Amino acid sequence: MLNKKIMSVSVSILIIILIISSMYVNSLLNKINRHEKPPAVNSEDNGIIASRHGEPRVDIDDIFTEDDKEIINILLIGKDISSEEENSRSDSMIIATVNKKSNSIKLTSLMRDMYVEIPGYIDNRINAAYAFGGMDLLTATVAQNFHVGIDGCVEVDFSGFEKIIDKIGGVDIDLNVDEAYYLSSISGVNFKTGTNNLTGETALKHVRIRYVGHDDYERTERQRKVLVAVFNKLKNSNIKTLLDITDDILPLVTTNLSSTQILGLTSNIILMGVSDIETYRIPADGAFTPDTIRDMSVLVPDLPKNRELLKEYIGY
């Protein structure tokens, strides 16, 4: 009888702990900014102009296979103006892939000057899709052009990016001699060649550099390096530190992911125990043509080739 009472009390305590934990987690997730998803884009009814590549129209809902449930793609969006302003273009677009089959996390930058088909609009740079229709149109644009499913989006503006970097105590980034010189000249801080700790302000300046190295190609590489540095710093933090950081960071983020999706994604990442993140860029080298269209300097991607390379890299 005594054992049964002890067991009953233990179960009750466990239930109470689980309820309190659930309430605490929900209170954290309630701090995140939610994006309401509009009706899905219908590629047959919205008057899309003919593809410049002469390809047939595609229903983006029919592109993906059953294996996709093992691969989660989250589109990370950096806004180029404050969240209070409207019609901004996306300054950075990175597909973060959580592959449960290979226990891997991969980052793929989408170069913002790619000239692509935007559902409902004349062909344009891919970052214009965000200005025209926010994360939903940008998601549809990525899916239709590259045949890769996007399961959700996470968006942060420049101000939020700075605050997030500062909340985790800055990030350690390796600077080459040109990057160190240029970043010193625009920030007033003396940086050295090699590893430097960047604050939110200097990290933002670093990822936005376009005039050092190979223009936007290296710029997207810097963005991925900073994200990897953030991941490495967080994975080595204890639970209390992570909860404190999460409490401060979530109000700076906007997403169309539900709380259930966020918890599931977080659990998957923790259980995978990933130690390194791989990075990539689209369009890939040798799979695009620089051009000038309507007075815009653009990169015209070889879509079939880039689709193949992206799917192979992600792990489809």
Side-chain angles (χ1 to χ4, degrees):
M1 181 67 69
L2 180 60
N3 288 337
K4 288 184 179 180
K5 287 184 178 181
I6 293 175
M7 183 177 295
S8 176
V9 171
S10 298
V11 170
S12 298
I13 292 174
L14 178 59
I15 291 174
I16 292 172
I17 291 173
L18 290 173
I19 291 174
I20 292 175
S21 299
S22 176
M23 291 174 63
Y24 177 70
V25 170
N26 284 328
S27 71
L28 282 179
L29 293 177
N30 285 336
K31 294 185 176 184
I32 201 168
N33 298 300
R34 301 292 180 176
H35 170 81
E36 292 187 5
K37 184 175 181 179
V41 175
N42 187 325
S43 61
E44 296 182 356
D45 298 336
N46 62 7
I48 302 174
I49 66 170
S51 169
R52 62 179 289 109
H53 299 285
E55 297 173 327
R57 304 276 4 110
V58 185
D59 184 345
I60 60 177
D61 293 329
D62 294 335
I63 290 172
F64 316 112
T65 66
E66 288 299 319
D67 289 337
D68 290 352
K69 61 187 177 183
E70 297 298 320
I71 297 176
I72 304 168
N73 292 317
I74 305 299
L75 187 59
L76 309 179
I77 305 168
K79 293 178 61 175
D80 65 357
I81 58 175
S82 69
S83 58
E84 287 76 21
E85 299 182 61
E86 299 295 334
N87 301 321
S88 63
R89 295 194 176 211
S90 47
D91 185 73
S92 64
M93 295 154 286
I94 297 176
I95 300 173
T97 300
V98 178
N99 189 325
K100 293 186 283 184
K101 294 185 295 185
S102 60
N103 281 343
S104 64
I105 298 178
K106 300 181 179 182
L107 301 178
T108 305
S109 293
L110 301 175
M111 294 188 69
R112 62 184 187 175
D113 289 341
M114 277 194 295
Y115 190 74
V116 298
E117 191 175 279
I118 299 177
Y121 297 85
I122 190 171
D123 296 7
N124 208 321
R125 290 170 173 159
I126 191 170
N127 67 342
Y130 183 85
F132 297 156
M135 62 175 64
D136 301 293
L137 183 58
L138 182 55
T139 294
T141 299
V142 172
Q144 185 154 299
N145 284 276
F146 299 103
H147 295 191
V148 169
I150 300 298
D151 299 286
C153 299
V154 175
E155 171 191 292
V156 65
D157 63 19
F158 286 167
S159 174
F161 174 86
E162 289 188 21
K163 291 175 182 176
I164 289 170
I165 296 298
D166 286 334
K167 290 294 181 184
I168 65 174
V171 287
D172 293 332
I173 301 293
D174 284 332
L175 303 178
N176 62 38
V177 61
D178 294 328
E179 290 171 335
Y181 175 80
Y182 186 80
L183 193 56
S184 297
S185 68
I186 63 174
S187 66
V189 179
N190 186 27
F191 291 101
K192 62 181 182 181
T193 302
T195 303
N196 295 261
N197 183 266
L198 304 186
T199 64
E201 181 180 0
T202 52
L204 179 61
K205 287 180 174 11
H206 178 64
V207 299
R208 300 198 70 202
I209 294 175
R210 295 192 71 176
Y211 306 107
V212 173
H214 193 19
D215 300 323
D216 210 34
Y217 305 94
E218 287 192 28
R219 180 177 176 275
T220 60
E221 183 179 358
R222 293 185 190 102
Q223 293 169 355
R224 297 192 300 274
K225 283 183 176 179
V226 168
L227 285 180
V228 171
V230 170
F231 173 81
N232 288 335
K233 191 152 192 179
L234 291 178
K235 77 177 182 181
N236 294 320
S237 300
N238 59 48
I239 294 297
K240 182 181 184 305
T241 300
L242 284 174
L243 289 175
D244 289 342
I245 291 172
T246 301
D247 189 47
D248 291 330
I249 286 177
L250 288 183
L252 306 173
V253 173
T254 299
T255 186
N256 56 5
L257 292 166
S258 68
S259 293
T260 300
Q261 289 174 312
I262 294 172
L263 288 173
L265 182 61
T266 303
S267 298
N268 284 324
I269 292 173
I270 292 173
L271 292 174
M272 284 164 55
V274 174
S275 58
D276 296 305
I277 295 181
E278 300 175 52
T279 69
Y280 194 55
R281 166 177 55 80
I282 290 292
D285 291 338
F288 66 92
T289 303
D291 201 351
T292 300
I293 301 176
R294 302 200 307 276
D295 295 325
M296 297 185 296
S297 295
V298 299
L299 305 175
V300 182
D302 179 335
L303 286 178
K305 189 170 184 178
N306 280 288
R307 286 171 187 158
E308 180 183 355
L309 291 170
L310 181 58
K311 285 188 173 184
E312 180 182 353
Y313 174 71
I314 285 177
Y316 283 116

